[in-house]
Amino acid sequence: MRLRALLYALPICLLAQVASSAQGEQAGSLTAMVLTGQNNHGWQVLSAHYETVLEATGLFEVDVVTSPPRGADMSGFAPDFASYDVVVIEYNGDDWPRRVQKSFERYMENGGGMVYAHAVNHTFTNWVAFNEMMGIGGWGGRDEAAGPYVKYRDGQMVLDHRPGHAGECVDAHAFSVVTRETDHPIMRGLPPVWLHGTDELYSNQRGPAKNMTILATAYSDPAREAHWGVETHGTGEHEPMVYTIGYGQGRVFGTAMGHVDGGAEVGSGPWPAIDCEGFITLIQRGAEWAATGDVTQPVPDTFPTATDVSLR
Ligand code: ZN
């Protein structure tokens, strides 16, 4: 870690070498920051969960960095992104100072890694670069100015430019996740269809979707009631659930899954969306891929099947 901090001072051409040297490193030698502190979902539960599941891989040393609370002064907030192979953004709240935004943009442009899930997609509506990193988002006042709706139709990603509000979800339920990119390192060896633990199924996300690949989808059933948006029912479409985005030299892994309630406290639960072996496996593999560009972890025997949810 101290070496990495020193290397931060080196020119960008050398930083790129440091980033690429993450490939092939020994177990436990990757570093992850979980950046948290504000969310309308239980960020204490979520950030502790991400720390636990990343450390469980044996690949990552994890630090949790907590922002000032909502409405508080951010003048002393200065996460040291460049010291980490991957940053898990578990944050949905106040805008960061432009100084911090620029620091994160530089980190990603120079080959950083980012992981995000679920309601993080609400945040930073007006930070253009962050929305490019996420690929798609919802809520936060987003509409057609955020980019097209991103759909999966007839075996491919489709950009739908009709106007409208971004972000809905149907009643929480267990739902089938369908793998769409079987050869991607994150998806290799996963079943073609598996049952995810009870979760909110996001739909009608929209965003720039540049350099975005949809790895898995879930069907938003029009028989189900929808909430929080303008639709009253599921969309009847296969909605993006798991995706990657390229940003500069950096890699982003994102998923729409991962709900816990806003008032969730550490030790509460179970939370079937994040305790799902499928969700945990995707976060672990997605973080390794975002950090190194490859995945060395085997798919666990406990991974859900097409008919059975599996909770840790
Ligand atoms: Zn939620």
Side-chain angles (χ1 to χ4, degrees):
M1 199 88 119
R2 195 168 300 146
L3 176 64
R4 286 169 188 280
L6 286 172
L7 288 169
Y8 186 27
L10 294 174
I12 283 167
C13 56
L14 290 178
L15 271 179
Q17 288 176 16
V18 172
S20 65
S21 76
Q23 296 209 21
E25 281 182 307
Q26 297 304 305
S29 63
L30 297 173
T31 52
M33 174 196 295
V34 177
L35 203 171
T36 191
Q38 298 184 28
N39 199 332
N40 64 333
H41 292 58
W43 59 262
Q44 296 92 337
V45 171
L46 288 164
S47 54
H49 187 70
Y50 294 138
E51 180 182 20
T52 300
V53 301
L54 290 185
E55 284 179 345
T57 64
L59 296 173
F60 291 100
E61 256 182 68
V62 185
D63 291 328
V64 176
V65 172
T66 305
S67 75
R70 196 174 292 270
D73 174 31
M74 287 223 185
S75 58
F77 181 53
D80 181 16
F81 299 116
S83 291
Y84 294 87
D85 295 303
V86 61
V87 177
V88 179
I89 302 284
E90 178 19 54
Y91 184 93
N92 168 22
D94 294 346
D95 285 345
W96 295 343
R98 185 66 194 130
R99 159 185 62 78
V100 179
Q101 293 181 347
K102 276 186 181 163
S103 162
F104 192 62
E105 290 170 16
R106 260 198 314 276
Y107 165 74
M108 290 302 296
E109 283 161 7
N110 292 337
M114 166 175 151
V115 170
Y116 78 98
H118 200 61
V120 174
N121 82 345
H122 301 21
T123 202
F124 300 144
T125 304
N126 300 314
W127 178 8
V128 172
F130 191 81
N131 283 272
E132 288 184 7
M133 294 173 203
M134 289 204 300
I136 48 177
W139 296 275
R142 284 175 176 80
D143 59 15
E144 58 273 16
Y149 288 116
V150 179
K151 301 291 187 177
Y152 193 88
R153 296 173 185 153
D154 301 323
Q156 58 182 345
M157 188 169 93
V158 173
L159 305 181
D160 181 336
H161 291 268
R162 80 195 133 94
H165 168 99
E168 275 108 31
C169 65
V170 294
D171 284 328
H173 63 293
F175 55 82
S176 296
V177 177
V178 180
T179 301
R180 301 296 186 176
E181 291 289 336
T182 51
D183 292 334
H184 192 281
I186 297 170
M187 307 307 278
R188 245 183 257 139
L190 267 57
V193 181
W194 53 277
L195 195 59
H196 176 45
T198 295
D199 200 347
E200 293 173 336
L201 197 164
Y202 279 3
S203 57
N204 279 346
Q205 296 191 84
R206 57 190 317 158
K210 289 182 197 167
N211 307 313
M212 176 170 170
T213 304
I214 295 174
L215 302 184
T217 61
Y219 181 66
S220 177
D221 186 347
R224 288 186 179 273
E225 203 177 314
H227 300 282
W228 314 121
V230 292
E231 302 291 340
T232 54
H233 290 88
T235 58
E237 298 216 54
H238 299 277
E239 300 286 347
M241 279 297 117
V242 183
Y243 18 87
T244 60
I245 299 94
Y247 182 85
Q249 300 301 309
R251 286 177 290 267
V252 179
F253 171 79
T255 175
M257 299 182 280
H259 174 83
V260 302
D261 290 350
E265 291 174 11
V266 174
S268 62
W271 298 103
I274 63 166
D275 292 333
C276 172
E277 290 280 5
F279 179 81
I280 290 170
T281 301
L282 283 171
I283 292 292
Q284 292 171 327
R285 294 170 70 91
E288 185 182 2
W289 177 83
T292 70
D294 201 5
V295 176
T296 60
Q297 304 166 61
V299 178
D301 298 339
T302 49
F303 199 89
T305 67
T307 53
D308 291 308
V309 167
S310 174
L311 303 184
R312 186 165 299 186

